[in-house]
Coordinates of all heavy atoms in Angstrom, one line a residue:
M1 N -33.4 26.7 -16.3 CA -32.9 26.8 -15.0 C -34.0 26.5 -14.0 O -35.0 27.3 -14.0 CB -32.3 28.1 -14.7 CG -30.8 28.2 -15.3 SD -29.6 27.3 -14.4 CE -28.2 27.5 -15.4
S2 N -33.9 25.7 -13.1 CA -34.9 25.5 -12.1 C -34.6 26.3 -10.8 O -35.4 26.4 -9.9 CB -35.0 24.0 -11.8 OG -33.8 23.5 -11.3
D3 N -33.4 26.8 -10.7 CA -33.0 27.5 -9.6 C -33.5 29.0 -9.6 O -33.1 29.7 -10.4 CB -31.5 27.6 -9.4 CG -31.1 28.4 -8.2 OD1 -32.0 28.8 -7.3 OD2 -29.8 28.7 -8.1
P4 N -34.5 29.4 -8.7 CA -35.1 30.7 -8.8 C -34.1 31.8 -8.7 O -34.2 32.9 -9.3 CB -36.1 30.7 -7.6 CG -36.1 29.4 -7.0 CD -35.0 28.6 -7.6
A5 N -33.1 31.6 -7.9 CA -32.0 32.7 -7.8 C -31.3 33.0 -9.1 O -31.0 34.1 -9.3 CB -31.0 32.3 -6.7
S6 N -31.2 32.0 -9.9 CA -30.6 32.3 -11.2 C -31.2 33.3 -12.1 O -30.8 33.8 -12.9 CB -30.3 30.9 -11.9 OG -31.5 30.3 -12.3
R7 N -32.6 33.3 -11.8 CA -33.4 34.3 -12.7 C -33.3 35.7 -12.3 O -33.6 36.6 -13.0 CB -34.9 33.8 -12.7 CG -35.2 32.7 -13.6 CD -36.6 32.2 -13.7 NE -36.8 31.1 -12.8 CZ -37.7 30.9 -11.9 NH1 -38.5 32.0 -11.7 NH2 -37.8 29.8 -11.2
T8 N -32.9 35.9 -11.0 CA -32.9 37.3 -10.5 C -31.5 37.7 -10.4 O -31.3 38.9 -10.1 CB -33.5 37.4 -9.1 OG1 -32.9 36.4 -8.2 CG2 -35.1 37.0 -9.3
T9 N -30.5 36.9 -10.5 CA -29.0 37.4 -10.5 C -28.6 38.2 -11.6 O -28.8 37.7 -12.8 CB -28.1 36.2 -10.3 OG1 -28.5 35.4 -9.2 CG2 -26.7 36.6 -10.1
P10 N -28.3 39.4 -11.5 CA -28.0 40.3 -12.6 C -26.7 39.9 -13.4 O -26.6 40.4 -14.5 CB -27.9 41.6 -12.0 CG -27.5 41.4 -10.6 CD -28.1 40.1 -10.2
R11 N -25.8 39.2 -12.8 CA -24.6 38.9 -13.5 C -24.5 37.4 -13.8 O -25.1 36.7 -13.1 CB -23.3 39.3 -12.7 CG -23.1 40.8 -12.7 CD -22.0 41.2 -11.8 NE -22.4 41.1 -10.3 CZ -21.5 41.0 -9.4 NH1 -20.1 41.1 -9.7 NH2 -21.9 40.9 -8.1
T12 N -23.8 37.1 -14.7 CA -23.6 35.7 -15.0 C -22.3 35.1 -14.5 O -21.2 35.8 -14.6 CB -23.6 35.4 -16.6 OG1 -24.8 36.0 -17.2 CG2 -23.5 34.0 -16.9
F13 N -22.4 34.0 -13.9 CA -21.1 33.3 -13.3 C -21.0 32.1 -14.0 O -21.9 31.5 -14.4 CB -21.4 33.2 -11.9 CG -21.5 34.3 -11.0 CD1 -22.8 34.9 -10.8 CD2 -20.4 35.0 -10.4 CE1 -22.9 36.1 -10.0 CE2 -20.5 36.1 -9.7 CZ -21.7 36.7 -9.4
G14 N -19.7 31.7 -14.1 CA -19.4 30.4 -14.7 C -19.9 29.3 -13.7 O -20.0 29.6 -12.5
F15 N -20.3 28.3 -14.2 CA -20.7 27.1 -13.3 C -19.4 26.7 -12.5 O -18.4 26.5 -13.1 CB -21.3 25.9 -14.2 CG -22.5 26.2 -14.8 CD1 -22.7 26.0 -16.2 CD2 -23.6 26.5 -14.0 CE1 -23.9 26.2 -16.7 CE2 -24.8 26.8 -14.6 CZ -25.0 26.6 -16.0
V16 N -19.7 26.5 -11.3 CA -18.6 26.1 -10.4 C -19.2 24.8 -9.7 O -20.2 24.8 -9.2 CB -18.3 26.9 -9.3 CG1 -17.2 26.5 -8.3 CG2 -17.7 28.4 -9.9
N17 N -18.4 23.7 -9.9 CA -18.9 22.4 -9.3 C -18.0 22.1 -8.1 O -16.8 22.5 -8.0 CB -18.8 21.3 -10.3 CG -19.8 21.5 -11.4 OD1 -20.9 21.9 -11.2 ND2 -19.3 21.3 -12.7
W18 N -18.6 21.4 -7.2 CA -17.9 21.0 -6.0 C -17.8 19.5 -5.9 O -18.9 18.8 -6.2 CB -18.5 21.5 -4.7 CG -18.3 23.0 -4.5 CD1 -19.1 23.9 -5.0 CD2 -17.3 23.7 -3.9 NE1 -18.7 25.2 -4.6 CE2 -17.5 25.0 -4.0 CE3 -16.1 23.2 -3.2 CZ2 -16.8 26.0 -3.4 CZ3 -15.3 24.2 -2.6 CH2 -15.6 25.6 -2.8
T19 N -16.7 18.9 -5.6 CA -16.6 17.4 -5.5 C -16.1 17.2 -4.2 O -15.1 17.8 -3.6 CB -15.7 16.9 -6.6 OG1 -16.1 17.2 -7.8 CG2 -15.5 15.3 -6.4
L20 N -16.8 16.3 -3.5 CA -16.3 15.8 -2.1 C -15.5 14.6 -2.3 O -15.9 13.6 -2.8 CB -17.5 15.6 -1.2 CG -17.1 15.3 0.2 CD1 -16.4 16.4 0.9 CD2 -18.5 15.0 1.0
R21 N -14.2 14.6 -1.8 CA -13.4 13.5 -2.0 C -12.5 13.3 -0.7 O -12.2 14.2 0.0 CB -12.4 13.6 -3.2 CG -11.6 14.9 -3.1 CD -10.5 14.8 -4.3 NE -9.7 16.1 -4.4 CZ -8.6 16.4 -3.6 NH1 -8.4 15.6 -2.5 NH2 -8.1 17.5 -3.7
P22 N -11.9 12.1 -0.5 CA -11.0 11.9 0.6 C -9.8 12.8 0.4 O -9.2 13.0 -0.8 CB -10.6 10.4 0.4 CG -11.7 9.8 -0.3 CD -12.3 10.8 -1.2
D23 N -9.4 13.4 1.5 CA -8.2 14.4 1.3 C -7.0 13.6 1.4 O -6.5 13.0 2.5 CB -8.3 15.3 2.5 CG -7.3 16.5 2.3 OD1 -6.4 16.4 1.5 OD2 -7.4 17.5 3.1
L24 N -6.2 13.4 0.3 CA -5.0 12.6 0.2 C -3.8 13.5 0.1 O -2.7 13.0 -0.1 CB -5.0 11.6 -0.9 CG -6.2 10.6 -1.0 CD1 -6.3 9.8 -2.2 CD2 -6.2 9.7 0.2
D25 N -4.0 14.8 0.3 CA -2.8 15.8 0.2 C -1.8 15.4 1.3 O -2.1 14.9 2.4 CB -3.3 17.1 0.3 CG -4.1 17.6 -0.9 OD1 -4.1 16.8 -1.9 OD2 -4.7 18.7 -0.9
D26 N -0.5 15.9 1.0 CA 0.6 15.6 2.0 C 0.2 16.4 3.3 O 0.6 15.8 4.4 CB 1.8 16.1 1.4 CG 2.4 15.2 0.4 OD1 2.0 14.0 0.2 OD2 3.1 15.8 -0.4
D27 N -0.4 17.5 3.3 CA -0.7 18.3 4.6 C -2.2 17.9 5.1 O -2.6 18.6 6.0 CB -0.6 19.8 4.3 CG -1.5 20.3 3.2 OD1 -2.1 19.4 2.6 OD2 -1.7 21.5 3.1
A28 N -2.8 16.9 4.6 CA -4.1 16.5 5.1 C -3.9 16.0 6.5 O -3.0 15.5 7.0 CB -4.7 15.4 4.3
P29 N -5.0 16.2 7.4 CA -4.9 15.6 8.7 C -4.8 14.1 8.5 O -5.2 13.5 7.6 CB -6.3 15.9 9.3 CG -6.9 17.0 8.3 CD -6.3 17.0 7.1
P30 N -4.3 13.4 9.5 CA -4.2 12.0 9.5 C -5.6 11.2 9.6 O -6.4 11.8 10.2 CB -3.3 11.6 10.7 CG -3.4 12.7 11.6 CD -3.7 13.9 10.8
T31 N -5.6 10.1 9.0 CA -6.8 9.2 9.3 C -6.6 8.6 10.7 O -5.5 8.1 11.1 CB -6.9 8.0 8.4 OG1 -7.0 8.6 7.0 CG2 -8.0 7.0 8.6
L32 N -7.6 8.8 11.6 CA -7.5 8.5 13.0 C -8.3 7.1 13.2 O -9.4 7.0 12.7 CB -7.9 9.5 13.9 CG -7.1 10.7 13.9 CD1 -7.6 11.8 14.7 CD2 -5.6 10.5 14.2
H33 N -7.8 6.2 14.0 CA -8.5 5.0 14.5 C -8.8 5.1 16.0 O -8.0 5.5 16.6 CB -7.8 3.7 14.1 CG -7.4 3.8 12.6 ND1 -8.0 2.9 11.7 CD2 -6.4 4.4 11.9 CE1 -7.5 3.1 10.5 NE2 -6.5 3.9 10.6
S34 N -10.0 4.6 16.3 CA -10.1 4.4 17.8 C -11.0 3.2 17.9 O -11.8 2.7 16.9 CB -10.7 5.5 18.5 OG -12.0 5.8 18.0
F35 N -11.0 2.5 19.0 CA -11.8 1.4 19.4 C -12.8 1.8 20.4 O -12.4 2.5 21.4 CB -11.0 0.1 19.7 CG -10.7 -0.8 18.6 CD1 -9.7 -0.4 17.8 CD2 -11.5 -1.9 18.4 CE1 -9.3 -1.2 16.6 CE2 -11.2 -2.7 17.3 CZ -10.1 -2.4 16.4
R36 N -14.0 1.3 20.4 CA -15.0 1.4 21.4 C -15.6 0.1 21.9 O -15.8 -0.8 21.0 CB -16.1 2.3 20.8 CG -17.2 2.8 21.8 CD -18.0 4.0 21.2 NE -18.3 3.7 19.8 CZ -19.5 3.2 19.5 NH1 -20.4 2.8 20.4 NH2 -19.9 3.0 18.2
C37 N -15.8 -0.1 23.2 CA -16.3 -1.3 23.6 C -17.7 -1.3 23.5 O -18.5 -0.3 23.9 CB -15.9 -1.5 25.0 SG -16.5 -3.0 25.8
L38 N -18.3 -2.4 22.8 CA -19.8 -2.5 22.7 C -20.4 -3.4 23.6 O -21.7 -3.6 23.5 CB -20.1 -3.0 21.2 CG -19.6 -2.2 20.1 CD1 -19.8 -2.9 18.7 CD2 -20.1 -0.8 20.0
T39 N -19.6 -4.0 24.5 CA -20.3 -5.0 25.4 C -21.3 -4.4 26.4 O -21.2 -3.3 26.9 CB -19.2 -5.5 26.3 OG1 -18.1 -6.1 25.5 CG2 -19.7 -6.7 27.1
L40 N -22.5 -5.1 26.4 CA -23.5 -4.7 27.2 C -23.2 -5.0 28.7 O -22.8 -6.1 29.0 CB -24.9 -5.3 26.9 CG -25.4 -4.8 25.4 CD1 -26.7 -5.5 25.1 CD2 -25.6 -3.3 25.3
T41 N -23.4 -4.0 29.6 CA -23.2 -4.4 31.0 C -24.6 -4.9 31.6 O -25.5 -5.1 30.9 CB -22.8 -3.0 31.7 OG1 -23.9 -2.2 31.6 CG2 -21.5 -2.5 31.1
E42 N -24.4 -5.2 32.9 CA -25.6 -5.8 33.5 C -26.9 -5.1 33.3 O -28.0 -5.7 33.3 CB -25.3 -6.0 35.1 CG -24.3 -7.1 35.3 CD -23.6 -7.2 36.7 OE1 -24.2 -6.4 37.5 OE2 -22.6 -7.8 36.9
N43 N -26.8 -3.8 33.4 CA -28.1 -3.1 33.2 C -28.4 -2.6 31.7 O -29.1 -1.7 31.4 CB -28.2 -1.8 34.1 CG -27.0 -0.9 33.8 OD1 -26.1 -1.2 32.8 ND2 -26.9 0.3 34.5
D44 N -27.8 -3.5 30.9 CA -28.1 -3.4 29.4 C -27.7 -2.1 28.7 O -28.2 -1.8 27.7 CB -29.6 -3.6 29.1 CG -29.8 -4.8 28.3 OD1 -28.9 -5.8 28.3 OD2 -31.0 -5.0 27.7
T45 N -26.7 -1.4 29.3 CA -26.2 -0.3 28.6 C -24.7 -0.6 28.2 O -24.1 -1.4 28.7 CB -26.1 1.0 29.5 OG1 -25.3 0.6 30.7 CG2 -27.5 1.5 29.9
A46 N -24.4 0.0 27.0 CA -23.0 -0.4 26.5 C -21.9 0.2 27.4 O -22.0 1.2 28.1 CB -22.9 0.3 25.2
C47 N -20.9 -0.6 27.5 CA -19.7 -0.2 28.3 C -19.2 1.2 27.8 O -19.0 2.1 28.6 CB -18.6 -1.3 28.2 SG -17.0 -0.7 28.8
A48 N -19.1 1.3 26.6 CA -18.7 2.5 25.9 C -17.3 3.0 26.1 O -17.0 4.1 25.8 CB -19.7 3.6 26.2
A49 N -16.5 2.3 26.9 CA -15.1 2.6 27.0 C -14.5 2.8 25.7 O -14.7 2.0 24.7 CB -14.3 1.6 27.8
A50 N -13.7 3.8 25.5 CA -13.0 4.0 24.2 C -11.6 4.4 24.2 O -11.2 5.1 25.3 CB -13.8 5.1 23.4
S51 N -10.8 4.1 23.3 CA -9.4 4.5 23.2 C -9.3 6.0 22.7 O -10.3 6.4 22.0 CB -8.7 3.5 22.3 OG -9.1 3.6 21.0
E52 N -8.2 6.5 22.9 CA -7.9 7.8 22.3 C -7.6 7.6 20.9 O -7.0 6.6 20.5 CB -6.7 8.4 23.0 CG -6.8 8.9 24.4 CD -7.8 10.1 24.5 OE1 -7.7 11.0 23.6 OE2 -8.6 10.0 25.4
P53 N -8.0 8.4 20.0 CA -7.8 8.2 18.5 C -6.4 8.3 18.3 O -5.6 9.1 18.8 CB -8.5 9.5 17.9 CG -9.5 9.9 18.8 CD -9.0 9.6 20.2
S54 N -5.9 7.5 17.4 CA -4.5 7.4 17.0 C -4.4 7.1 15.5 O -5.3 6.4 14.9 CB -3.9 6.3 17.7 OG -2.6 6.0 17.2
A55 N -3.3 7.5 14.8 CA -3.0 7.2 13.4 C -2.6 5.8 13.2 O -2.6 5.3 12.1 CB -2.1 8.1 12.8
D56 N -2.3 5.1 14.3 CA -1.8 3.8 14.3 C -2.9 2.7 14.7 O -3.1 2.6 15.9 CB -0.6 3.6 15.2 CG 0.0 2.3 15.2 OD1 -0.4 1.3 14.4 OD2 1.0 2.0 15.9
P57 N -3.5 1.9 13.7 CA -4.4 1.0 14.0 C -3.9 0.0 15.0 O -4.7 -0.5 15.9 CB -4.9 0.3 12.8 CG -4.3 1.3 11.7 CD -3.1 2.0 12.3
A58 N -2.6 -0.5 14.9 CA -2.1 -1.5 15.9 C -2.2 -1.0 17.3 O -2.5 -1.9 18.3 CB -0.8 -1.8 15.4
E59 N -1.9 0.2 17.5 CA -2.1 0.8 18.9 C -3.4 0.6 19.5 O -3.7 0.3 20.6 CB -1.6 2.3 18.8 CG -1.5 2.9 20.1 CD -1.0 4.3 19.9 OE1 0.0 4.5 19.3 OE2 -1.7 5.2 20.5
Q60 N -4.4 0.8 18.6 CA -5.9 0.6 19.0 C -6.2 -0.8 19.4 O -6.9 -1.1 20.3 CB -6.8 1.2 17.9 CG -6.5 2.6 17.6 CD -6.5 3.5 18.7 OE1 -7.4 3.5 19.5 NE2 -5.3 4.2 18.9
Q61 N -5.7 -1.8 18.6 CA -5.9 -3.2 19.0 C -5.3 -3.5 20.3 O -5.8 -4.3 21.0 CB -5.4 -4.0 17.8 CG -6.2 -3.7 16.5 CD -5.7 -4.6 15.3 OE1 -5.1 -5.6 15.5 NE2 -6.0 -4.0 14.2
S62 N -4.1 -3.0 20.6 CA -3.5 -3.1 21.8 C -4.4 -2.7 23.0 O -4.5 -3.3 24.1 CB -2.1 -2.4 22.0 OG -1.2 -2.9 21.1
W63 N -5.1 -1.5 22.8 CA -6.0 -1.0 23.8 C -7.1 -2.0 24.0 O -7.5 -2.2 25.2 CB -6.6 0.4 23.2 CG -7.6 0.9 24.1 CD1 -7.4 1.7 25.2 CD2 -9.0 0.6 24.2 NE1 -8.6 1.9 25.9 CE2 -9.6 1.2 25.2 CE3 -9.8 -0.1 23.3 CZ2 -11.0 1.2 25.5 CZ3 -11.2 -0.3 23.6 CH2 -11.8 0.4 24.7
A64 N -7.7 -2.6 23.0 CA -8.7 -3.6 23.1 C -8.3 -4.7 24.0 O -9.0 -5.2 24.8 CB -9.2 -4.0 21.7
F65 N -7.2 -5.2 23.7 CA -6.6 -6.4 24.5 C -6.4 -6.0 26.0 O -6.8 -6.7 26.9 CB -5.3 -6.9 23.9 CG -5.4 -7.9 22.8 CD1 -5.2 -7.3 21.4 CD2 -5.9 -9.2 23.0 CE1 -5.4 -8.3 20.4 CE2 -6.0 -10.0 22.0 CZ -5.8 -9.5 20.6
D66 N -5.9 -4.8 26.2 CA -5.8 -4.3 27.6 C -7.2 -4.2 28.2 O -7.3 -4.5 29.4 CB -5.0 -2.9 27.6 CG -3.6 -3.0 27.2 OD1 -3.1 -4.1 27.3 OD2 -3.0 -1.9 26.9
H67 N -8.1 -3.6 27.5 CA -9.4 -3.5 28.0 C -10.1 -4.9 28.4 O -10.6 -5.0 29.5 CB -10.3 -2.7 27.0 CG -11.7 -2.5 27.6 ND1 -11.8 -1.5 28.7 CD2 -12.9 -2.9 27.3 CE1 -13.2 -1.5 29.0 NE2 -13.8 -2.3 28.2
M68 N -9.8 -5.8 27.6 CA -10.4 -7.1 27.9 C -9.6 -7.8 29.0 O -10.3 -8.6 29.9 CB -10.3 -8.1 26.6 CG -11.1 -9.4 26.9 SD -11.0 -10.5 25.5 CE -9.2 -11.0 25.7
R69 N -8.3 -7.6 29.2 CA -7.7 -8.0 30.3 C -8.2 -7.6 31.6 O -8.3 -8.3 32.6 CB -6.1 -7.7 30.2 CG -5.2 -8.9 30.2 CD -3.7 -8.5 29.9 NE -3.4 -8.8 28.6 CZ -2.9 -7.9 27.6 NH1 -2.7 -6.6 28.0 NH2 -2.7 -8.2 26.4
R70 N -8.6 -6.3 31.7 CA -9.2 -5.8 32.8 C -10.6 -6.2 33.0 O -11.2 -6.1 34.1 CB -9.1 -4.2 32.8 CG -7.7 -3.7 33.1 CD -7.7 -2.2 33.3 NE -8.3 -1.5 32.2 CZ -7.7 -1.0 31.1 NH1 -6.4 -1.4 30.9 NH2 -8.4 -0.3 30.2
N71 N -11.3 -6.4 31.9 CA -12.8 -6.7 31.8 C -13.0 -8.0 31.0 O -13.4 -7.9 29.9 CB -13.6 -5.7 31.3 CG -13.3 -4.3 31.9 OD1 -13.8 -4.0 33.0 ND2 -12.4 -3.4 31.4
P72 N -12.6 -9.1 31.5 CA -12.6 -10.4 30.7 C -13.9 -10.7 29.9 O -13.9 -11.5 28.9 CB -12.3 -11.5 31.8 CG -11.8 -10.8 32.9 CD -12.4 -9.4 32.9
E73 N -15.0 -10.1 30.3 CA -16.2 -10.5 29.5 C -16.5 -9.5 28.4 O -17.4 -9.6 27.7 CB -17.5 -10.5 30.5 CG -17.4 -11.7 31.3 CD -18.3 -11.6 32.6 OE1 -19.2 -10.8 32.6 OE2 -18.2 -12.5 33.5
H74 N -15.6 -8.5 28.3 CA -15.8 -7.4 27.3 C -15.2 -7.9 26.0 O -13.9 -7.6 25.9 CB -15.3 -6.0 27.8 CG -16.2 -5.5 28.9 ND1 -16.3 -4.1 29.2 CD2 -16.9 -6.2 29.8 CE1 -17.1 -4.0 30.2 NE2 -17.5 -5.3 30.6
T75 N -15.9 -8.5 25.1 CA -15.2 -9.1 23.9 C -15.9 -8.5 22.6 O -15.5 -8.9 21.5 CB -15.5 -10.6 23.8 OG1 -16.9 -10.8 24.0 CG2 -14.8 -11.3 25.0
S76 N -16.7 -7.4 22.8 CA -17.2 -6.9 21.4 C -16.9 -5.4 21.3 O -17.0 -4.6 22.2 CB -18.8 -7.0 21.6 OG -19.4 -6.6 20.4
Y77 N -16.4 -5.1 20.2 CA -15.7 -3.8 19.8 C -16.1 -3.2 18.5 O -16.5 -4.0 17.6 CB -14.2 -3.9 19.9 CG -13.7 -4.2 21.3 CD1 -13.5 -5.6 21.6 CD2 -13.5 -3.3 22.2 CE1 -13.1 -6.0 22.8 CE2 -13.0 -3.6 23.5 CZ -12.8 -4.9 23.8 OH -12.4 -5.3 25.1
A78 N -16.1 -1.9 18.4 CA -16.2 -1.2 17.1 C -15.0 -0.4 16.8 O -14.5 0.3 17.7 CB -17.5 -0.4 17.1
E79 N -14.6 -0.5 15.6 CA -13.5 0.4 15.2 C -14.2 1.7 14.7 O -15.0 1.6 13.8 CB -12.6 -0.2 14.1 CG -11.5 0.7 13.8 CD -10.6 0.2 12.7 OE1 -11.1 -0.7 11.9 OE2 -9.4 0.6 12.5
V80 N -13.7 2.8 15.1 CA -14.2 4.1 14.7 C -13.1 4.7 13.9 O -11.9 4.8 14.3 CB -14.7 5.0 15.8 CG1 -15.1 6.4 15.3 CG2 -15.6 4.3 16.7
I81 N -13.4 5.1 12.6 CA -12.4 5.6 11.7 C -12.8 7.1 11.3 O -13.9 7.3 10.9 CB -12.2 4.8 10.4 CG1 -11.8 3.3 10.8 CG2 -11.2 5.4 9.5 CD1 -11.8 2.4 9.7
E82 N -11.9 8.0 11.6 CA -12.1 9.4 11.2 C -11.1 9.6 9.9 O -9.9 9.8 10.1 CB -11.8 10.3 12.3 CG -12.0 11.8 11.9 CD -11.9 12.7 13.0 OE1 -12.7 12.8 13.9 OE2 -10.8 13.4 13.0
R83 N -11.7 9.8 8.7 CA -10.9 9.9 7.6 C -11.2 11.3 7.1 O -12.3 11.7 6.8 CB -11.4 9.0 6.6 CG -10.6 8.9 5.3 CD -11.1 8.0 4.2 NE -11.6 6.7 4.7 CZ -10.9 5.7 5.1 NH1 -9.6 5.7 4.9 NH2 -11.5 4.6 5.6
P84 N -10.1 12.1 6.8 CA -10.4 13.5 6.3 C -10.9 13.6 4.8 O -10.3 12.8 4.0 CB -9.0 14.2 6.4 CG -8.0 13.0 6.4 CD -8.7 11.9 6.9
W85 N -11.8 14.3 4.6 CA -12.3 14.6 3.3 C -12.2 16.0 3.0 O -12.2 16.9 4.0 CB -13.8 14.1 3.2 CG -14.0 12.6 3.0 CD1 -13.6 11.6 3.9 CD2 -14.6 11.9 2.0 NE1 -13.8 10.5 3.6 CE2 -14.5 10.6 2.4 CE3 -15.2 12.3 0.8 CZ2 -15.1 9.5 1.5 CZ3 -15.7 11.2 0.0 CH2 -15.7 9.9 0.4
V86 N -12.2 16.4 1.7 CA -12.2 17.8 1.3 C -13.1 18.2 0.2 O -13.3 17.3 -0.7 CB -10.6 18.2 1.0 CG1 -10.2 17.5 -0.3 CG2 -10.5 19.6 0.9
M87 N -13.6 19.4 0.2 CA -14.3 19.8 -0.9 C -13.4 20.4 -1.9 O -12.6 21.2 -1.6 CB -15.4 21.0 -0.5 CG -16.6 20.4 0.4 SD -17.8 19.7 -0.8 CE -19.0 19.4 0.4
W88 N -13.5 19.9 -3.2 CA -12.6 20.3 -4.2 C -13.5 21.1 -5.2 O -14.5 20.7 -5.8 CB -12.0 19.2 -4.9 CG -11.0 19.5 -5.9 CD1 -9.9 20.2 -5.9 CD2 -11.1 19.0 -7.3 NE1 -9.3 20.3 -7.1 CE2 -9.9 19.5 -7.9 CE3 -11.9 18.1 -8.0 CZ2 -9.8 19.1 -9.3 CZ3 -11.7 17.8 -9.2 CH2 -10.5 18.4 -10.0
R89 N -13.0 22.4 -5.4 CA -13.8 23.3 -6.4 C -13.1 23.2 -7.7 O -12.0 23.4 -7.9 CB -13.7 24.8 -5.7 CG -14.5 25.8 -6.5 CD -14.4 27.0 -5.7 NE -15.3 28.0 -6.4 CZ -14.8 29.3 -6.8 NH1 -13.5 29.6 -6.6 NH2 -15.7 30.1 -7.3
H90 N -14.0 23.1 -8.7 CA -13.5 23.1 -10.1 C -14.6 23.7 -11.0 O -15.7 23.6 -10.7 CB -13.0 21.7 -10.5 CG -14.2 20.7 -10.4 ND1 -15.0 20.3 -11.4 CD2 -14.7 20.1 -9.4 CE1 -15.7 19.4 -11.1 NE2 -15.6 19.2 -9.8
Q91 N -14.2 24.2 -12.2 CA -15.0 24.7 -13.2 C -15.6 23.7 -13.9 O -15.1 22.7 -14.3 CB -14.2 25.6 -14.1 CG -13.5 26.8 -13.5 CD -14.5 27.8 -12.9 OE1 -15.5 28.1 -13.5 NE2 -14.2 28.3 -11.7
G92 N -17.0 23.7 -14.0 CA -17.7 22.8 -14.8 C -17.9 23.3 -16.3 O -17.3 24.2 -16.6
P93 N -18.7 22.6 -17.0 CA -18.9 23.0 -18.4 C -19.6 24.4 -18.5 O -20.5 24.6 -17.6 CB -19.9 21.9 -18.9 CG -20.5 21.2 -17.7 CD -19.5 21.4 -16.6
A94 N -19.2 25.2 -19.3 CA -19.8 26.6 -19.5 C -21.2 26.5 -20.2 O -21.4 25.6 -20.7 CB -18.8 27.4 -20.3
Ligands
ZN101 ZN1 -15.8 -2.6 28.0

């Protein structure tokens, strides 16, 4: 054992492993999409206008078209995706 704590712990615990995985459970939070404008303005800073996060990617693309209609030179965007992940605890080999 390389973990110093394991040498001083008076009781023995079974190994517990954690796995980080996308949360696909029915009650998991939704995956959210948003768009952010990457267009540089005249003073070389990003416009940074962004849509509200939504579970519907098509809604976000509508936001980008609306933004470009108001700002015809703003043609560069990033999609930001928030995907729920969860730590899953399981017993490892004894
Ligand atoms: Zn913009």
Side-chain angles (χ1 to χ4, degrees):
M1 282 287 174
S2 59
D3 178 9
S6 65
R7 279 183 262 128
T8 58
T9 302
R11 288 177 286 164
T12 303
F13 295 90
F15 289 123
V16 175
N17 294 317
W18 291 87
T19 301
L20 182 60
R21 61 167 173 79
D23 191 350
L24 302 174
D25 292 349
D26 289 340
D27 62 348
T31 296
L32 297 176
H33 305 257
S34 63
F35 268 82
R36 184 163 50 89
C37 182
L38 298 179
T39 304
L40 294 179
T41 59
E42 288 164 12
N43 57 2
D44 244 20
T45 56
C47 165
S51 65
E52 289 294 318
S54 165
D56 179 5
E59 192 176 301
Q60 303 310 306
Q61 293 175 24
S62 297
W63 175 89
F65 278 105
D66 288 345
H67 184 69
M68 190 186 71
R69 237 173 258 124
R70 289 192 304 274
N71 308 276
E73 290 164 13
H74 292 204
T75 56
S76 185
Y77 296 88
E79 180 184 22
V80 180
I81 300 173
E82 182 177 284
R83 187 185 319 281
W85 284 60
V86 65
M87 287 284 188
W88 181 57
R89 183 175 187 237
H90 57 97
Q91 297 297 317

